[in-house]
Amino acid sequence: MTRVHDMGGRFGDGPVEPGSEDDPVFAEEWHARALALTLAAGALGQWNIDISRHARERLSPKDYTRFSYYEKWISALADLLVERGVLTEDDLREAGSAEKHPLADRAMKAESVAGVLARGGPADREGGLKPRFSTGQAVRAVVPSDSALVAGGHTRLPRYAAGALGYILRLHGNHVLPDSNAHGLGEAPEPLYAVKFHARELWAHPEHPDDEVVLDLWQSYLEPI
Amino acid sequence: MPHDDHDHPHALLPPEPALRVKALETILTRKGLIDPAALDEIIDTYQNKIGPQNGARVVARAWSDPGFKAALLQDATTAVADLGYYGRQGEHMVVVENTPEQHNMVVCTLCSCYPWPLLGIPPGWYKSDAYRARAVREPRKVLAEFGVTLPAETAVRVWDSTAEIRYLVLPMRPERTDGLSEDALAALVSRDSMIGTGLPKVPS
């Protein structure tokens, strides 16, 4: 089984509410604060993007479902700060030390924001496994879809694609494997492919016979036919 | 086993979300781990500097310059970096072209992956359960909720952003736009047309 965030194909969610393109970027001031706080805390260097995604996914299903988007972010951030030893539970109770933190020298300064955001964090790597599949080749997404490396661990293979027949559309090069990187097991770069699936392969009642879904999948998520 | 703790530390913070954010910011600031001025700078960047106007420039250039369009479809990361667009959540870009035969649409079913340097921070609906759950299974019903109806002969290809590749849709250039400047064309490019849930505006 997988986790509550893996919701592709789920029934029962009701209509999408598009709103207007003129809506403000942040609906509430605290949304902006939550985003900025998460980015700035990430710059302390105590976790990577896969660890932070997994922290959100590990919110209990009840919290994940009832929390709004930025509530998930801020709550997972608090959990991560304690898990990684940056803060203590007493700190969250506002009963901790107010002394300067050993990591304070790493705090992101206003003048470095533009550079940090502009640099980003590329996920492609030179080394790692050689490509096993070529463009056009038929492959099958593995079953089961949950992490093969760590029980209950992070993975990016959605459940709806597990076991489905697809075709290699494009090789993106070698990329950091989230299943490993989210658990401190190293970057373990693998070939990453865009894989095309016919909608009829994924859903019992596809809307149109020619529709397709493309997923980016790592080599270890795929097996040859 | 990952740490699955039913008494998550976040429950120690105030439950009301705005207060929860404020409390965490206060705690981190007091310890010198956060500079509130840096938060202001991050917010200003995504509120005022980086947004769908960037993607619209890329699309307008592709509509105007066949050489740029070919380069964009071949290696979008390099092509958009040449226009000055690169950075967090846009390190690996792929641009997919709409044609009369195929309409492209982008989603992230697992979280909210989105090409920040070209489109900014995703709108609320993109991050909603309804969009994440339904875009892959019934894209045409979702499109209808955006007021978009495709011809029966147009196939839909949905891109689920499951890795660090970020996708931008290159919409079809609207008719009766011959001779328009790049600026005029960019004004026709809606945000949603670059996600694939909308179409470009038609010149008035």
Side-chain angles (χ1 to χ4, degrees):
Chain A
M1 270 311 286
T2 180
R3 290 181 185 269
V4 63
H5 70 283
D6 182 5
M7 59 180 71
R10 186 172 78 179
F11 286 88
D13 282 286
V16 179
E17 291 166 14
S20 157
E21 296 210 6
D22 298 325
D23 289 341
V25 175
F26 299 107
E28 306 280 346
E29 202 261 335
W30 69 266
H31 293 181
R33 255 11 234 177
L35 175 117
L37 198 54
T38 303
L39 298 194
L44 295 169
Q46 302 305 296
W47 54 77
N48 59 48
I49 191 165
D50 299 305
I51 292 172
S52 64
R53 284 204 184 105
H54 191 48
R56 287 174 208 138
E57 295 162 4
R58 281 183 296 127
L59 291 168
S60 71
K62 197 179 276 182
D63 279 351
Y64 193 95
T65 305
R66 75 189 170 98
F67 283 172
S68 64
Y69 182 74
Y70 287 111
E71 269 182 284
K72 293 185 187 75
W73 277 42
I74 203 69
S75 302
L77 174 60
D79 294 342
L80 209 43
L81 286 163
V82 172
E83 264 178 44
R84 308 301 287 186
V86 179
L87 297 182
T88 64
E89 295 201 350
D90 271 349
D91 288 327
L92 296 189
R93 293 187 189 97
E94 303 218 36
S97 153
E99 285 175 23
K100 189 181 167 194
H101 195 281
L103 293 172
D105 292 340
R106 299 194 187 190
M108 194 194 244
K109 298 283 172 253
E111 56 272 21
S112 61
V113 165
V116 171
L117 297 180
R119 268 194 302 282
D124 57 334
R125 298 292 181 267
E126 289 295 325
L129 301 178
K130 294 271 173 280
R132 183 181 182 192
F133 306 118
S134 50
T135 306
Q137 189 172 345
V139 292
R140 194 172 289 284
V142 297
V143 184
S145 66
D146 53 333
S147 167
L149 278 182
V150 177
H154 181 64
T155 187
R156 297 290 287 181
L157 173 58
R159 180 172 41 179
Y160 74 81
L165 165 70
Y167 300 89
I168 303 288
L169 194 62
R170 177 175 192 141
L171 171 61
H172 294 300
N174 277 19
H175 277 236
V176 173
L177 180 68
D179 308 47
S180 176
N181 201 39
H183 299 283
L185 300 173
E187 295 191 329
E190 284 188 9
L192 175 71
Y193 305 90
V195 185
K196 177 186 81 175
F197 297 89
H198 293 299
R200 61 179 181 273
E201 180 72 15
L202 303 173
W203 322 113
H205 304 278
E207 286 186 314
H208 189 287
D210 297 330
D211 287 354
E212 298 163 343
V213 181
V214 179
L215 292 86
D216 285 327
L217 301 175
W218 280 262
Q219 186 155 284
S220 57
Y221 298 179
L222 301 169
E223 48 197 31
I225 297 289
Chain B
M1 277 292 286
H3 185 70
D4 273 319
D5 184 351
H6 295 291
D7 298 314
H8 283 89
H10 66 251
L12 299 168
L13 293 167
E16 201 280 313
L19 296 179
R20 179 166 286 188
V21 176
K22 185 73 195 158
L24 197 56
E25 182 177 341
T26 303
I27 293 162
L28 291 168
T29 303
R30 198 186 292 144
K31 290 175 175 289
L33 292 167
I34 291 294
D35 175 4
L39 303 195
D40 294 340
E41 188 65 30
I42 293 169
I43 293 167
D44 180 52
T45 300
Y46 290 114
Q47 210 156 38
N48 302 313
K49 296 176 185 162
I50 297 181
Q53 67 276 12
N54 295 0
R57 260 200 68 205
V58 171
V59 169
R61 174 68 58 88
W63 283 348
S64 309
D65 177 346
F68 177 77
K69 178 179 160 183
L72 185 68
L73 295 175
Q74 179 67 35
D75 176 2
T77 310
T78 303
V80 303
D82 287 346
L83 294 184
Y85 305 131
Y86 179 82
R88 191 185 175 94
Q89 287 299 308
E91 295 92 343
H92 310 284
M93 286 300 312
V94 169
V95 170
V96 291
E97 183 186 15
N98 283 350
T99 64
E101 294 76 36
Q102 185 171 72
H103 179 87
N104 296 281
M105 181 171 157
V106 182
V107 64
C108 172
T109 63
L110 296 174
C111 49
S112 54
C113 298
Y114 192 74
W116 289 16
L118 294 175
L119 297 182
I121 300 297
W125 61 259
Y126 185 85
K127 304 177 280 201
S128 69
D129 288 3
Y131 187 72
R132 288 169 54 188
R134 295 177 50 221
V136 282
R137 182 172 49 76
E138 47 184 16
R140 290 164 192 268
K141 287 198 182 68
V142 171
L143 286 172
E145 288 158 18
F146 284 81
V148 175
T149 308
L150 297 174
E153 62 272 21
T154 303
V156 177
R157 180 178 273 182
V158 181
W159 299 79
D160 189 355
S161 313
T162 46
E164 300 304 332
I165 312 298
R166 297 291 167 265
Y167 290 94
L168 187 88
V169 175
L170 174 58
M172 286 190 286
R173 179 171 174 160
E175 291 177 10
R176 298 190 308 279
T177 55
D178 290 353
L180 287 189
S181 68
E182 260 183 61
D183 282 350
L185 288 171
L188 302 176
V189 183
S190 63
R191 177 196 64 203
D192 292 357
S193 73
M194 295 181 279
I195 305 172
T197 55
L199 301 175
K201 294 165 211 161
V202 176
S204 45

